[in-house]
Amino acid sequence: MRPFLYDDETPEEAYDEIWRNLDLSPERVAERVRRREAAERLLAELTDAPLEAQAKLLREARFQNLDLLDLLLEASQESQPGDAVRAEDLSHLAARLAVGLAEEEPEASAALPRAFCLGANARRLGRDVEGADALLAKAAPFVEFPGERAVYSRVAGVVRWEQGRIDEAEALLRHAARLFAAEEMATEEACCQGLLGLLQMEERALGDPLPALLAGWSGMVREIRPQLALRVGFSLAACQAEKGQPERARSTMRDAWRLFAEVRDARELIQACWLEARALGRLGEREEALQMLDSVRLKLLQAPSPAEAALASVDLGLVLAESGRAGEIRALAESLRSAFPEEGLLIVAAANLFHFAEVALSGEVDLRIVACHTLSTMLRAFRVGRVEMLPLPFA
């Protein structure tokens, strides 16, 4: 029996047309290569020029083409999260070119939401969340199709998260995941799930993070976003350990370790070691967890990265308590207070750590629940108070 596609009613000429539309002929391929190389030369000339000269160059007729526009968007995406300044500059050039082309090339205006979203994410990576919000407002009127709405919602969700607007962040990330799923963009949907799981790890009141982290870890192309994947992997391992799944947790950690070689940013490596140590603590490997958390905490104090040093102190305090050394937690709070005596929110964080020490010594409550609550309270305060923290390595 013939497959239904090849019924007797289907003329052979129809397939000839299909093959022609695929643009696989040597001539078409050569033409695409030629146009790409020409666009790459224009991009190099444009980005080598001083910033004040770039806008003038874009107005020249030879720069007015869609291939350059596509290349600017690609280059902005590829520059994130490693070079936020370059990524933002390229997104601005793309937006400017799209506006200039729109009259002659109507499809150019479709690039505007992506250009503004790339710029917004670059600003967020540069720790300018208010500036990111402003660019999202510029993007909103141009967002039309489901794929564009998915990208917009995901960037907006991460920005809201870093503003401390947690419920809005959760809603936007869930919406983005649904839209990517409807568009059959499985790896992008998985990325949203991974982000959602990390958010739920911070705010356990939003729900169990395990399903979202597992979906993210299973579906992500980890090599594309290794820094984000490391965070997701070690967070998943910690959750699996909490759920009484030690073998699964260890398997996840082994897979995550392979990504360390892909991470170049020193601060992101510290973050990964911190999350690895948290997972080890949940697995009961407390001596190794203590050594790693103590090292991470010292590096964050020296950076200085006071907010993250405070958060790592809570994780270290929990493992100390579970190791029968709750009496040492007060010293962590005292060193935090003495290291940053003029920082208002750090004084509050030290007070929270002192309280955690008292609760740990009492031995009357589930310390992991208290630690989760202490961490989420600190994180909200730091984000609302705009205390500097390492941005999520998402692009």
Side-chain angles (χ1 to χ4, degrees), residues 154 173-174 176-182 184-195 212 215-216 219-220 225:
R154 184 168 60 187
L173 289 174
R174 287 189 184 279
R178 286 193 296 269
L179 289 168
F180 279 125
E184 299 183 351
M185 300 173 71
T187 58
E188 297 305 319
E189 178 194 1
C191 176
C192 288
Q193 293 289 354
L195 288 166
M220 292 176 73
R225 296 182 173 104

Side-chain angles (χ1 to χ4, degrees), residues 72-143:
L72 283 165
L73 293 169
E74 285 178 28
S76 177
Q77 179 73 58
E78 289 169 1
S79 297
Q80 302 184 39
D83 189 343
V85 173
R86 173 176 165 80
E88 184 178 354
D89 289 344
L90 290 166
S91 72
H92 288 336
L93 290 171
R96 189 185 293 271
L97 180 56
V99 171
L101 279 171
E103 187 173 346
E104 296 295 326
E105 303 278 2
E107 64 264 42
S109 60
L112 284 170
R114 185 180 174 197
F116 288 134
C117 284
L118 285 167
N121 195 62
R123 284 190 179 179
R124 177 191 66 80
L125 289 166
R127 301 183 181 85
D128 179 11
V129 290
E130 301 308 323
D133 225 357
L135 280 180
L136 286 172
K138 286 187 174 184
F142 299 99
V143 174

Side-chain angles (χ1 to χ4, degrees), residues 229-281:
L230 262 179
R231 291 199 186 198
V232 172
F234 284 136
S235 297
L236 172 60
C239 277
Q240 289 170 324
E242 289 174 6
K243 298 283 187 180
Q245 303 171 12
E247 291 311 311
R248 289 183 180 179
R250 290 188 174 91
S251 176
T252 301
M253 291 183 74
R254 284 193 294 271
D255 288 341
W257 286 332
R258 298 188 182 103
L259 294 169
F260 267 111
E262 304 296 324
V263 179
R264 302 287 183 267
D265 185 273
R267 286 190 64 182
E268 197 57 44
L269 284 171
I270 294 172
Q271 182 80 27
C273 290
W274 174 4
L275 293 176
E276 180 188 0
R278 181 184 288 175
L280 289 169

Side-chain angles (χ1 to χ4, degrees), residues 158-174:
V158 177
V159 170
R160 295 291 177 273
W161 181 353
E162 294 189 351
Q163 289 174 319
R165 296 158 65 175
I166 300 303
D167 291 300
E168 294 174 56
E170 181 200 23
L172 284 162
L173 289 174
R174 287 189 184 279

Side-chain angles (χ1 to χ4, degrees), residues 212-231:
L213 288 170
L214 185 57
W217 181 246
S218 301
M220 292 176 73
V221 180
R222 299 165 197 167
E223 292 74 17
I224 293 178
R225 296 182 173 104
Q227 297 180 160
L228 180 63
L230 262 179
R231 291 199 186 198

Side-chain angles (χ1 to χ4, degrees), residues 21 36 81 133 170 177 209 217 317 323 328 331 343 347:
N21 289 336
R36 174 80 179 192
D133 225 357
E170 181 200 23
W217 181 246
S323 304
E328 298 177 34
E343 298 280 350
I347 294 170

